[in-house]
Structures are given as structure tokens and as C-alpha cells.
Amino acid sequence: MSVYVGIDVHRKRSQIAVVDHDGTVQVNRNVPNGVETVLEVTGDLPIGTPVAFEAAFGWGWLVELLEDYGYDPHLVHPLQCKAIASARLKNDKVDAATLGQLLRGDLLPEAWISPLDVRQQRALLRHRAQLVRLRTRLRNRIHAVLADLGHDRAGGFCTAPGRAWLAELPLPDASRRVVDDLLAVMDGLQPPIDALDKQLNAQARGDPRVAALTQLPGVGTLTALMIVAEVGDVSRFPSARQLASWAGLTPTVRNSDRTVHHGHISKQGSPWLRWIMCEAAQTAKRHPLFAPAYQEMARRRGKKIATTAVARKLLARAYHVLRELHDQQTTPHRRAAAHRPTPTATHAG
């Protein structure tokens, strides 16, 4: 008998519902997160049982658990699932059972489950980006302290001459303490950032996708690595527009009768891919490939919207680069499989 499992995942506990082929909820239990507690509910289910859960906080451990024990995990898009299964009564039991029922009816709006190596690569790149963001915030706080006291330096204070200038400034005791502490934390962030750069650059040297992407305007090695990690398997996107939509770089559309209104970008998708493309667009918008269109749009719509448009166009070019490399790598395997002789069965005489 076929069964379907829906799991409403939370940080410490999860609600697990088991639905049979007739839609009857056989089990609906709340358990602490962990291998043993989850298997207490699902351990007796047959291998290959489909399990649905939303892309909520901390779902990676659950994917590994389900795959290790032979179940079929299905990651659910949370916003689309809420649109399909909106109900007056909403609690963990209802949510878990609803996931099981949607799985049973083949109505799940599924999201791609990235392999473990892709998730690990994303974790490294996101960690580096967060460290750099923290360093920038600390630097801005020092600028704020200096500006409050009427001090400024055109070249900044991060270079050796800038540090010497900062050390000689006649600052009040409290301000000097704040500046020195912030500088110490900034200096402490530099070794892990340098170590990450060394590791990531070593990984990039053997990846043809990175080499191809760095030929695009505004795309350096670390930017290319983040594009590769965030996109993952590029063949899951049938077109560049769908990738741009997944990154949240396409405009929202509201259509009523014959009236069509295009709004701002949706921002529903990968925030990391959207961020890195907008960062790359800051340089790419000055390149001859994008500069004329950027300047025209900036004049009509403003610089911010024009930069976002460049980010979308740059992502489209990145898509075609990755798709071409993917097709080149898969075609030889297909040809080899087509020409491989079919094994014939032999029988003992």
C-alpha cells in the first residue's frame, strides 16, 4: 500500500504526518528533531516512500537523513504551497497533513534539492561574503566616528598611510577606544578571509565554468564561483528568463482585463545570486556591451533600475555560457551511450 509523508520542519521539533493512498491520515505526531525520533515514525515505511517538507530553516539534515535511509525527499516551495493550500485552520498538524495530501495528489510546487557538494560550496562562498560585509560595517562605523568629530581623509584609512594618519589623530579617549577596538576586529577578520580566498581560488583553477564566466564584463573569479554554486545544475532552467525569475530579477506583472502593469523586480528567489549579479553590474554597466543601454535607461528610469537591468542581462549571458558548456560536456556521453553495444544474455548449456 502506498503511503505519503508530510513533515512540517521547525528549528527544534517537527510535525510528521503519514497519509495512505486513500487520503486517510494514519499518523500525525510531533517529535524532537533527530535521526532516532524521526525514524520512530517513518522507520517502518517502505524504501522509496515519498516525503515532502518545506524549504524552511535548517532542512539540510533532514535531506541527508531521508536519502541515507532510502526515502524519496521532495523539497516544497513555501510561498507557492501556501497559495495552493490556504486554510482557515492552520497549525503544525494541518500543515504536515496538507503536505502529505498534496504529495499524494501530485500537486506539490517542488524546489530543487541541491547536492551536498553544492550546498557546501555555497556555504563557503556565503561565509566569505558575510565576513566581508561585517568588515565593511566596521569600516563604516569608524567613518561615522570620525565624521562626528569633523575628520575625513580622501584616501581612507585602510592603507598603511591611512592607518598612520588615523593613529596621529587627536581623538577623545572614548572615540579612540571605539576606533581601536573596531580596527582590531577588522584585523582579526582578515586572516580567515585570506584563507578562504586561497581555498576558493584553488578550486576555481580547475573549473572550466569559472574560466568561461570570467570572460564576461564585471565577473571576477569569486563572482564566477558564486554564480556556479548558486545556479547549480543549469539544465534545470529551460531559458535565461526562468533563471532571471528564479533570481528575483524579473519585474512583477499584474494583469486585469486588458490592463497590464509591470512593477519592480519580484525579489522572490535566490537573494545571493541576485546580490552578486547586482554587484557585478556595478562594473559591467561601464563596459561597451552594456554602457549605451544603461545610460539610456538611467536617463529615463534612474540609475538603480538601470543597474538592475544590466544585472539581468549579465545573468542571461552567464546562463548561455553555462548552458553551452553543459551541452558540450553531456553530448559526448550521450554519443558514447548510443554507440555502446547492448549486452546479450548468455545461458549455460
Side-chain angles (χ1 to χ4, degrees):
M1 181 177 66
S2 299
V3 292
Y4 307 88
V5 180
I7 303 180
D8 189 24
V9 185
H10 295 279
R11 183 172 298 188
K12 295 181 179 180
R13 304 181 68 88
S14 295
Q15 188 78 29
I16 305 176
V18 180
V19 180
D20 64 18
H21 69 288
D22 293 326
T24 303
V25 179
Q26 296 180 334
V27 179
N28 203 332
R29 286 178 54 188
N30 187 277
V31 298
N33 289 339
V35 176
E36 295 181 357
T37 52
V38 171
L39 290 179
E40 286 179 5
V41 183
T42 64
D44 295 333
L45 300 178
I47 299 296
T49 296
V51 180
F53 55 95
E54 289 187 357
F57 179 87
W59 54 267
W61 68 273
L62 184 58
V63 172
E64 294 182 30
L65 185 155
L66 296 173
E67 291 177 342
D68 288 345
Y69 285 87
Y71 299 116
D72 181 21
H74 294 261
L75 185 63
V76 181
H77 191 294
L79 292 179
Q80 294 182 13
C81 187
K82 285 180 174 62
I84 293 174
S86 58
R88 292 180 180 272
L89 176 62
K90 187 182 185 306
N91 54 44
D92 292 348
K93 280 192 172 184
V94 172
D95 289 348
T98 299
L99 288 173
Q101 297 290 2
L102 291 174
L103 183 60
R104 168 178 163 268
D106 195 21
L107 296 172
L108 279 179
E110 292 195 42
W112 182 61
I113 300 178
S114 55
L116 179 60
D117 60 334
V118 174
R119 298 202 299 270
Q120 290 294 300
Q121 184 74 349
R122 288 176 177 176
L124 274 182
L125 289 159
R126 294 173 183 180
H127 175 52
R128 182 195 178 277
Q130 287 167 335
L131 290 179
V132 172
R133 287 179 181 180
L134 177 57
R135 184 179 63 186
T136 301
R137 289 177 59 189
L138 297 172
R139 185 183 303 157
N140 290 340
R141 288 184 63 189
I142 294 177
H143 278 298
V145 172
L146 298 180
D148 192 49
L149 297 171
H151 298 295
D152 190 18
R153 184 175 185 273
F157 55 83
C158 293
T159 60
R163 287 292 184 98
W165 168 81
L166 187 58
E168 295 174 358
L169 275 180
L171 300 178
D173 291 342
S175 298
R176 173 58 65 185
R177 174 63 183 272
V178 171
V179 169
D180 288 346
D181 287 350
L182 293 173
L183 287 174
V185 177
M186 285 177 57
D187 292 341
L189 290 174
Q190 197 58 47
I193 291 175
D194 291 341
L196 283 168
D197 287 346
K198 184 177 180 180
Q199 179 180 351
L200 292 169
N201 283 318
Q203 294 175 359
R205 280 193 286 271
D207 195 330
R209 298 169 297 179
V210 174
L213 286 173
T214 51
Q215 302 303 310
L216 296 175
V219 179
T221 300
L222 293 174
T223 300
L225 277 172
M226 181 160 280
I227 293 172
V228 168
E230 294 299 325
V231 171
D233 182 7
V234 70
S235 64
R236 63 195 179 101
F237 299 103
S239 67
R241 180 172 179 79
Q242 290 202 1
L243 175 57
S245 176
W246 182 76
L249 286 171
T250 53
T252 57
V253 179
R254 289 181 174 85
N255 188 350
S256 178
D257 193 17
R258 296 183 180 181
T259 302
V260 180
H261 175 73
H262 295 273
H264 296 290
I265 59 173
S266 67
K267 293 187 179 180
Q268 292 185 7
S270 170
W272 289 100
L273 182 59
R274 182 169 62 255
W275 166 75
I276 200 63
M277 296 314 301
C278 290
E279 289 291 307
Q282 298 293 344
T283 301
K285 66 186 181 184
R286 296 189 291 269
H287 192 274
L289 283 174
F290 300 105
Y294 166 77
Q295 292 168 2
E296 173 63 21
M297 182 168 288
R299 182 183 62 81
R300 293 186 295 107
R301 307 282 309 274
K303 293 182 179 180
K304 188 173 182 180
I305 292 178
T307 302
T308 303
V310 172
R312 185 166 60 249
K313 292 179 180 178
L314 187 60
L315 182 57
R317 288 179 178 267
Y319 169 82
H320 291 298
V321 168
L322 293 174
R323 191 63 197 244
E324 183 177 356
L325 282 173
H326 177 271
D327 293 343
Q328 289 174 356
Q329 292 171 354
T330 56
T331 299
H333 295 292
R334 291 174 182 173
R335 289 176 179 172
H339 290 86
R340 190 177 299 124
T342 304
T344 56
T346 58
H347 302 275

